[in-house]
């Protein structure tokens, strides 16, 4: 039974008698009825992936000789597929590459969008490997009521935001589908190979497409799958067709790569490995994902220090009690407090985070204190990105987007 | 009601009570139960196109100042969509361009494959306009059990055959999808625009696709549609997005262009005009189309003079009577005699053809005479193409396939 079939069967099993409690997680929707958000343990069973356990984290530290990223230790990247194989390769000094991406739906990226990129940057530096970043501007054109010119403009803005995180131009290739597919016959040829080996029935089962969906949506999964194969980048990887790929992404993107892993052996190419992250919660709470289309649900990379302060103070859902007295007596709930959740993502100091957790849980600290701490952290991160962003001209972006051999020994 | 809807409704109406008699005509199948072949009058009603009448033929002669091609006068091109609009443009000295193509399924092209190209060459010379020729190697890879490398090799052989017909390199651009889509962002961008505006329901209705078809087939119609728009060729047409297009093709390709004409106004581009040909019959008779996969059903461009002679003598279906005596008494039937049908396609001399028709019908001429005449005509045509084919090197083919501005005043 393939991973795709297993995931479908598991999904049917889990649906029995508990449909009402089931979280909705696919590339276009993330919804949970629980205040603590999506049940990730159940999701691992449903998707058929493997939990990231202490053993794997320790092996990553052993193999790389570096401490694991906080996202690993704090359970933000919580699930994987075949990460041990990637570590085997690294131990054997054999190459692999990283692939991640973004659907450029809104001009201003939000903090949630940063998660895969922050982690990917750490992977790139820690393993010293090349990276390709796909901007699915074609996807956004197909799914949204937006013109092609506008989606191309937004994609370029997003590319500049991503570059601002500090990627190494010598080891990073960023591409927008609407341009790159028309720049590289090898990329289109891989897409067609994938499209030959996936039926409408399969994408219906995996993505829920229906008969009234446009044929662009129906064939799109092959386009997100294609960068999983090094042969799609002949100039980048010197024509090597079998360099394995590791994909860090949020768990909602897994359906694309379950499909990719199913197709890979049939077109004689290696299956990509995966590292899955949890979702970044909206300011209003963990029941839904942050969305840049609702500006009050998220902190944008374009927000001023004052906007950050006001949004956190006004909207960040509190896990504290109704009155100070009650809070001091019963304590706060870190599992639903959005400020604490955000600190878990962005406060680097492990000891400080643990201290805040204990003192908030005991009732010693009020939500106001957590908000103040978070505002400082976010203002610093966003400010630093905005500062770097100023130097990212069209020329710099063009450099990242030029197909070329990356600095790496294949 | 759109042309696509009209064609579907007409098809349903015609199916009532006469399903058994209905010819099967779509891009992958042509089958007729009648010895005289497909009923083209019915097809015009079903597809919602317009017959090419004497008035249109006379107007073509008037507008161009040249005699109409025998394919027009003999009803080989018998149906059209908006050809009068193209003539209006030509009268106003406004530009249009020609688009035709081929699915490179077999290494050796047969005489039937020549029909659209022979006629397109005449159109190009008569109207003095640029021409794009699409080789759908991606289609053949998706539909057939063939490797990508093999289909690319076959496509290049076919390109050389087509060039051998004598196209003008300064006004002709030939492209293979598997390469060109990866060479031209503008082409991919038009494909995505079309794919956004066609649903699975629509391709199901038009092409009969089902849930177990691969997503490559389902989205392919957009790829055959795209060359109908000049914006798909920014280098060829100097970036002009609205140059109207005229498509000469066999009537079985019309479903692609009904779909294209439906989409065009929704993506703000001009509808292509069409000229439709009848099918070239198999040697065994007009009940089916010639097929290169059955070598005894057709004359190949690679056949020797002797092979041509033997195939015609052995396989060409005769409309004559069982014995010479009976034939002289009752006469032959030109409507089902394959040799006469082939002469109608390839014998240029109108008077000679008419004389043969009369004398065969009256019983004066035997099938053997027609076969002898036909063998001479085919040996001359095939020999001349083979002679020209020798000079078509990879370099010559490459010249035709290089994206470049064609010699034309836009």
């Amino acid at each position: 039974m393939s991973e795709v079939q297993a995931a479908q069967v598991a999904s049917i099993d889990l649906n029995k008698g508990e449909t009402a409690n089931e979280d909705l997680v696919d590339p276009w929707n993330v919804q949970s009825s629980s205040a603590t958000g999506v049940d990730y343990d159940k999701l691992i069973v449903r998707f058929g992936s493997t939990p990231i356990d202490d053993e794997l984290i320790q092996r990553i530290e052993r193999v790389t000789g570096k401490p694991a990223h906080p996202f690993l230790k704090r359970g933000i990247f919580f699930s994987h597929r075949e990460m041990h194989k990637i570590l085997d390769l690294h131990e054997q000094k054999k190459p692999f590459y990283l692939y991640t991406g973004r659907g450029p739906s809104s001009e201003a990226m939000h903090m949630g969008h940063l998660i895969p990129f922050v982690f990917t940057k750490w992977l790139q530096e820690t393993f010293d490997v090349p990276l390709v970043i796909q901007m699915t501007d074609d996807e956004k054109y197909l799914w949204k009521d937006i013109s092609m010119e506008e989606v191309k403009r937004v994609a370029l803005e997003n590319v500049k935001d991503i570059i601002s995180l500090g990627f190494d131009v010598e080891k990073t290739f960023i591409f927008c589908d609407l341009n790159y597919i028309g720049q590289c016959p090898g990329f289109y040829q891989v897409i067609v190979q994938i499209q030959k080996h996936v039926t409408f029935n399969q994408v219906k089962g995996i993505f829920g497409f229906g008969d009234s969906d446009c044929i662009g949506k129906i064939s799109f999964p092959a386009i997100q799958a294609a960068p999983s194969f090094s042969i799609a980048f002949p100039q980048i990887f010197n024509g090597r067709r079998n360099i394995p790929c590791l994909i860090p992404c949020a768990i909602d993107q897994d359906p694309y790569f379950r499909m990719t892993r199913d197709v890979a052996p049939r077109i004689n190419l290696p299956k990509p490995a995966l590292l899955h992250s949890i979702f970044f919660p909206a300011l209003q709470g963990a029941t839904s994902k942050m969305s840049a289309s609702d500006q009050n649900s998220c902190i944008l990379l374009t927000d001023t220090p004052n906007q950050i302060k006001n949004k956190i103070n006004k909207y960040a859902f509190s896990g504290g009690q109704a009155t100070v007295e009650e809070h001091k007596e019963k304590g706060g709930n870190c599992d639903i407090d959005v400020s604490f959740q955000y600190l878990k993502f962005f406060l680097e100091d492990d000891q400080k985070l643990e201290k805040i957790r204990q003192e908030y849980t005991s009732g010693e600290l009020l939500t106001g204190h957590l908000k103040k701490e978070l505002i400082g952290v976010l203002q610093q991160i966003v400010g630093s990105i905005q500062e770097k962003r100023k130097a990212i001209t069209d020329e710099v972006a063009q450099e990242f987007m030029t197909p070329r051999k990356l600095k790496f020994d294949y």
Side-chain angles (χ1 to χ4, degrees), chain A residues 13 57 87 108 143 187 243 267 274 336 357 366 391:
Chain A
D13 287 349
I57 294 173
L87 296 176
W143 260 263
F187 194 61
I243 304 178
I267 57 176
L274 284 127
I336 61 169
R357 198 190 60 76
L366 297 178

Side-chain angles (χ1 to χ4, degrees), chain A residues 10 15 22 34 50 73 90 114 124 147 172 174 185 198 222 226 252 264 289 312 318 326 341 346 348 355 378 381 397:
Chain A
N15 277 332
E22 179 127 307
S34 160
T50 309
K73 291 187 284 189
H90 192 69
L114 296 189
Q124 180 180 39
S147 76
T172 307
I174 307 180
V198 176
D252 59 339
K289 203 169 67 162
I312 298 294
S318 166
E326 202 186 333
Q341 296 300 317
F346 292 114
E348 286 191 9
K355 192 160 174 280
L378 291 181
I381 293 174

Side-chain angles (χ1 to χ4, degrees), chain A residues 281-301:
Chain A
L283 283 170
Q284 285 74 8
T287 47
S288 63
K289 203 169 67 162
M290 242 186 180
S291 164
S293 51
D294 175 5
Q295 297 221 346
N296 290 329
S297 76
C298 54
I299 304 298
L300 300 172
L301 289 190

Side-chain angles (χ1 to χ4, degrees), chain A residues 102 106-110 113 154 158 161 292 295 300-302:
Chain A
R102 160 159 176 74
S106 59
E107 182 145 358
M109 286 172 68
H110 64 56
H113 294 142
V154 166
N158 283 193
D161 288 339
Q295 297 221 346
L300 300 172
L301 289 190
T302 49

Side-chain angles (χ1 to χ4, degrees), chain A residues 1 5-15 22 45-48:
Chain A
M1 190 157 66
Q5 287 169 320
Q8 282 165 359
V9 169
S11 170
I12 291 160
D13 287 349
L14 282 173
N15 277 332
E22 179 127 307
V45 175
R46 229 169 85 195
F47 281 13

Side-chain angles (χ1 to χ4, degrees), chain A residues 387-406:
Chain A
E387 196 51 42
K388 284 189 200 140
R389 178 68 156 81
K390 286 181 192 157
I392 313 301
T393 57
D394 282 354
E395 288 67 37
V396 172
Q398 215 45 62
E399 218 181 316
F400 275 89
M401 296 196 289
T402 302
R404 67 210 184 277
K405 188 177 177 315
L406 295 183

Side-chain angles (χ1 to χ4, degrees), chain A residues 55-300:
Chain A
E55 193 205 322
L56 177 59
I57 294 173
Q58 283 160 20
R59 190 175 173 214
I60 290 172
E61 293 190 326
R62 210 164 52 239
V63 165
T64 63
K66 286 168 195 164
H69 191 276
F71 285 178
L72 285 167
K73 291 187 284 189
R74 296 177 191 174
I76 286 166
F77 274 79
F78 72 106
S79 157
H80 75 103
R81 294 185 189 277
E82 294 196 308
M83 185 58 194
H84 280 290
K85 274 201 184 170
I86 294 293
L87 296 176
D88 291 346
L89 288 171
H90 192 69
E91 279 184 326
Q92 297 159 18
K93 302 201 185 309
K94 286 182 183 163
F96 73 92
Y97 72 99
L98 296 165
Y99 155 40
T100 191
R102 160 159 176 74
S105 56
S106 59
E107 182 145 358
M109 286 172 68
H110 64 56
M111 297 305 288
H113 294 142
L114 296 189
I115 309 305
F117 293 107
V118 167
F119 189 62
T120 300
K121 182 169 177 271
W122 177 81
L123 288 169
Q124 180 180 39
E125 288 167 357
T126 304
F127 287 93
D128 187 26
V129 285
L131 160 67
V132 298
I133 299 176
Q134 179 183 48
M135 309 297 290
T136 55
D137 48 1
D138 46 359
E139 177 201 8
K140 292 302 162 185
Y141 170 75
L142 288 166
W143 260 263
K144 295 195 161 251
D145 184 18
I146 188 172
S147 76
M148 199 166 264
E149 284 320 302
E150 177 63 6
V151 82
K152 281 155 82 174
R153 191 187 65 75
V154 166
L156 181 59
E157 292 305 311
N158 283 193
V159 166
K160 291 178 180 175
D161 288 339
I162 292 167
I163 293 171
S164 306
L165 298 180
F167 287 102
D168 179 354
V169 69
E170 294 195 317
K171 291 175 188 160
T172 307
F173 173 55
I174 307 180
F175 63 99
C176 299
D177 287 341
L178 288 171
N179 273 318
Y180 183 61
I181 295 176
Q183 285 185 319
C184 177
F187 194 61
Y188 177 62
Q189 288 166 25
V190 172
I191 292 169
V192 176
Q193 285 182 58
I194 299 166
Q195 287 179 340
K196 183 174 180 168
H197 294 88
V198 176
T199 66
F200 179 64
N201 263 327
Q202 287 172 305
V203 293
K204 200 156 84 169
I206 302 169
F207 303 99
F209 295 148
D211 287 13
S212 56
D213 276 314
C214 74
I215 58 175
K217 288 186 184 181
I218 290 167
S219 58
F220 173 76
I223 290 168
Q224 185 154 336
S228 311
F229 305 116
S230 65
I231 190 67
F233 305 96
Q235 285 171 280
I236 312 302
F237 298 121
N238 226 6
R240 290 261 318 255
R241 64 178 273 127
N242 281 321
I243 304 178
C245 173
L246 170 62
I247 305 170
C249 63
I251 186 86
D252 59 339
Q253 300 299 304
D254 185 67
Y256 284 115
F257 303 115
R258 280 206 299 275
M259 185 198 85
T260 309
R261 287 170 54 86
D262 237 41
V263 171
R266 286 184 285 147
I267 57 176
N268 206 16
L269 291 172
K271 289 184 179 190
L274 284 127
L275 289 169
H276 301 122
S277 77
I278 61 171
F279 308 113
F280 194 71
L283 283 170
Q284 285 74 8
T287 47
S288 63
K289 203 169 67 162
M290 242 186 180
S291 164
S293 51
D294 175 5
Q295 297 221 346
N296 290 329
S297 76
C298 54
I299 304 298
L300 300 172

